[in-house]
Amino acid sequence: MASDSQRELVIRSVSSGDFSQSGTIDWVGFLKATAEASISILTRLSGSGVEPLTVLVAEKLCSQLQLSSDGQKNILEGLSSLRAFGSFGDVLWFGFGVRHVTRTLAQTREGLGCVAICAALAETHSSEVSALVLSAMADLSDVPRQASPSISQWKKLVEACSGCLAKSAFPQLVGHFTGLCRSVGHFTVVEACEPRDLAQALGALARISDGHLDSITIKGGPDCGWLGAVAQWLLGLSVSFQNDDDETTVHRGCYIKPYERAQVNIIYDRQSAASTTASIIVRKAYKISGISSMVREQIRPGAASLCIRTPWDQALRMTFGEVAFRLLTSDLRPAMCAALRSAAILFERVSRAGHDVRPEHLHILRKNVHYLEGSYGRGFLQSAIKCFPELPSDLVTMTSEFLGENFNQASMAYENALANISASCPCERHGYLGKSWSSSVVKQVPLRVCIVTLMELIIYVARASAGILAEGNLLPAQNGFDSIYRMLYDRLSNSDPVTRLMEGCGDSVFSITVAIYSGAHRDTVVKGRKECISATASQGLCFFLDSLCDMVDSPESLSRVHVVPGCIELDQRKFMEVRDSGFEGPRYKADNACVASTLPAERPPQFTDVKVEAIATEAENFVTFSYKITSKKGTTFIPAAALATAASRAQGCVPCDAAKCPKISRYPLLHVVDGEGTVGLAQPASCTVRFVPAPGPRWCIALMTAMLGTNHMGSASSTGYDVLYEEDKSGVILRTRESLVCCIKASLKHERSEIISIA
């Protein structure tokens, strides 16, 4: 670590001596000190919205918690594993760059302690609750009011450090310790404790870490799991857990000898999460109470929930309980396999626009679909196993041999499978509790988990996972599964199982990804897609569409979602979202425009030189982004999120079997053009067939122009973008592998006005 003379932000005292005296901080001496900082670090702090005084106070507060050598190593290894990823042209950065403010703070022991505590808080708590905890720590440490940072400043500091531990073992350790106090088989929402109680407990851990106390006892709910992880992983203290009802020890650190008492003894009080009584401190015993109604009113909905992460191979068990999981995967295994197999067939038939697909379901799925191999057919089954490794390992073998059914057969099989699961579901909605049940896994205890909804959640998440690219070993959040579960549960009474399946696949994969990994509130999953958001930062993670990185890749890949630890940066300033800027179509005509009444011949690609630039513009809390494409004919602007949506909407419209393509006895009048410009023909035609070269950006211009017109220019939320999200008005077929004959037939059948053939 750097010395004070080498670091970029230091306190230089005008008096001799240390600030710490007898375990307390000399705030009088602190206020008399002089602070020095380089312009470089001030720029980075300003970009994060953090004032230098906030950092200095936080360093002094967190220095009371003495990191062990292993704790320091854990933090430094966590920071070294973080990377940054650039958008197209590197105008935006996602993640942690080499000059991120946390890397600078970690150069010294005090700064490393500050990063450790703030990052640990942010990993499990919302930024609002984390800020309240740090503010309470400042109050308990008697920080003078004139030097104490505001709640908003504490929040900015937490957000700057958020995500530093996302790839470390800390989130998994918190999940393990928190799971020790949860009732097996009962689906529960885990909430934070009272911030002041947590601050007091951290103060007690500090007094153990500096040798002023030998041991303490903490009694409380799930947040005690976080305290235990901090004590063991950061401070190197010995930790033990026991239940309050039977006083059995459920965890004892491996470094504790049989006759020794742990330094931190945690007693899980199963009732404390719902308690609002004031905290009680008796000598070395600390009671951690539930979050109060007064604090709850100060934060946004859902911010009181703890973000408990779980490994993918234990996600279903840890979130919904062993009883519910075993009931579905053991006793109802045939029905579960039948549901997954039928869903795979339905997804495949719809993705290929099969002739047997019910029109209403084809229409629903067209709203927002990604045509990746892992989202339908055998690829979907592989995605399910990869996403949830705890499912039966022979699932693909058991189900894939029956993938030859048509849409109607698969629909009936899916409905029957869900009916069998529903008949055995012990939740309140399906009322199975009053019936006899011979299985050993269901006891005389009411289950709050709906097995039908759990089955639909597995399908819902597995299909979305085909479009998710998570960096490293990032873990999902249990409250993210909770959000999705509750949303799907609310839909149970709205429609039949097949319609629910189709509607669920119309939800934005981007929003689903944010919910899974950040534990976002369930409203995020069904949030209106008209906002045209291509990137967002939440709970220390950054989510961004592949269309921000490259627009000339395959149409299928544009809607993939990347997940990385960190934030969104533009010119070293931090932002929470990237939104689309306006679209401006070409103002020039296409080449070789003509009218034809026969099958147009395939055109050789006509390549022209084009220049592609990324334009990112700063707004108040977000950044707008678009591609500027310049050629000798003119300039166009293409927004990233709208492009990904348009590519999804225009695919999968054509049923085509290359070996048995039907013939057309009489062709309608067609406009045939080359390139992305306007048609400019006065004679009306039934359809336009446009040949555009690929790879390259010209097919993107043609697609957006066909969807939105040529001269639309405005914000992404303007009404001109509604066509991308509302009823099936897009009228465009994006041809990739289908025959031109089948595309023309589909155009006439579905009143599609344009076929864009990517050569």
Side-chain angles (χ1 to χ4, degrees), residues 74-83 95-96 100-106 111-112 114-120 122-123 157-171 233 474 539-541 564-567:
N74 290 336
I75 294 294
L76 292 174
E77 287 180 350
L79 288 172
S80 65
S81 69
L82 302 174
R83 297 191 296 162
F96 286 87
H100 193 275
V101 65
T102 54
R103 299 191 191 276
T104 301
L105 295 178
L112 188 65
C114 172
V115 172
I117 298 304
C118 291
E123 191 59 42
L157 178 61
V158 169
E159 290 173 347
C161 299
S162 183
C164 288
L165 303 182
K167 295 173 65 177
S168 71
F170 182 77
W233 200 76
L474 296 179
Q539 200 67 35
L541 300 177
V564 301
C567 59

Side-chain angles (χ1 to χ4, degrees), residues 159-359:
E159 290 173 347
C161 299
S162 183
C164 288
L165 303 182
K167 295 173 65 177
S168 71
F170 182 77
Q172 189 168 344
L173 185 62
V174 173
H176 171 67
F177 283 166
T178 305
L180 296 176
C181 86
R182 301 182 66 184
S183 301
V184 177
H186 285 245
F187 185 41
T188 57
V189 178
V190 183
E191 288 197 341
C193 70
E194 184 68 16
R196 189 173 183 85
D197 289 355
L198 196 59
Q200 288 177 323
L202 284 172
L205 293 181
R207 294 182 67 78
I208 296 180
S209 67
D210 64 13
H212 284 83
L213 287 177
D214 294 328
S215 65
I216 61 170
T217 298
I218 302 174
K219 184 176 182 179
D223 236 337
C224 289
W226 180 84
L227 286 168
V230 169
Q232 179 173 301
W233 200 76
L234 290 178
L235 307 181
L237 305 178
S238 56
V239 181
S240 70
F241 291 84
Q242 70 179 57
N243 293 325
D244 64 332
D245 47 6
D246 55 7
E247 298 185 355
T248 58
T249 300
V250 293
H251 172 84
R252 186 173 174 84
C254 57
Y255 299 110
I256 308 174
K257 296 180 181 179
Y259 54 86
E260 287 184 343
R261 178 180 174 85
Q263 292 170 291
V264 181
N265 303 279
I266 295 176
I267 302 175
Y268 269 136
D269 179 5
R270 299 185 187 275
Q271 302 300 321
S272 65
S275 173
T276 57
T277 58
S279 60
I280 302 171
I281 303 178
V282 182
R283 295 182 180 177
K284 301 176 186 177
Y286 294 79
K287 172 98 182 263
I288 307 297
S289 60
I291 195 166
S292 66
S293 58
M294 183 176 66
V295 172
R296 195 184 299 276
E297 291 174 357
Q298 301 176 30
I299 57 180
R300 59 185 166 82
S305 299
L306 293 179
C307 182
I308 306 299
R309 301 199 178 276
T310 176
W312 278 106
D313 59 359
Q314 302 175 38
L316 298 176
R317 284 186 176 90
M318 292 186 66
T319 305
F320 302 101
E322 182 70 26
V323 173
F325 176 78
R326 289 180 59 195
L327 177 58
L328 180 62
T329 58
S330 297
D331 298 79
L332 296 174
R333 182 170 176 170
M336 181 195 71
C337 291
L340 288 168
R341 173 181 59 81
S342 302
I345 298 170
L346 294 173
F347 294 150
E348 182 167 37
R349 298 304 299 157
V350 172
S351 68
R352 300 185 185 281
H355 294 288
D356 54 347
V357 176
R358 300 171 190 170

Side-chain angles (χ1 to χ4, degrees), residues 1 64 77 141 168 173 333 346 376 453 464 475 492 500 629 637 675 705 755:
M1 294 185 188
Q64 299 175 94
E77 287 180 350
S141 298
S168 71
L173 185 62
R333 182 170 176 170
L346 294 173
Y376 57 84
T453 306
L475 304 179
L492 281 179
R500 290 200 305 271
I629 304 171
F637 292 86
T705 302
I755 300 169

Side-chain angles (χ1 to χ4, degrees), residues 685-731:
S686 300
C687 176
T688 297
V689 179
R690 187 186 298 271
F691 294 94
V692 187
R698 296 178 64 191
W699 72 267
C700 302
I701 302 173
L703 174 63
M704 294 295 293
T705 302
M707 290 274 195
L708 301 176
T710 57
N711 297 319
H712 176 78
M713 186 67 180
S715 67
S717 60
S718 59
T719 55
Y721 282 83
D722 290 352
V723 70
L724 295 177
Y725 308 99
E726 292 185 348
E727 303 297 324
D728 199 13
K729 300 174 183 176
S730 60

Side-chain angles (χ1 to χ4, degrees), residues 495-509:
S495 56
D496 63 273
V498 176
T499 300
R500 290 200 305 271
L501 186 71
M502 297 294 104
E503 288 176 342
C505 294
D507 290 338
S508 165
V509 176

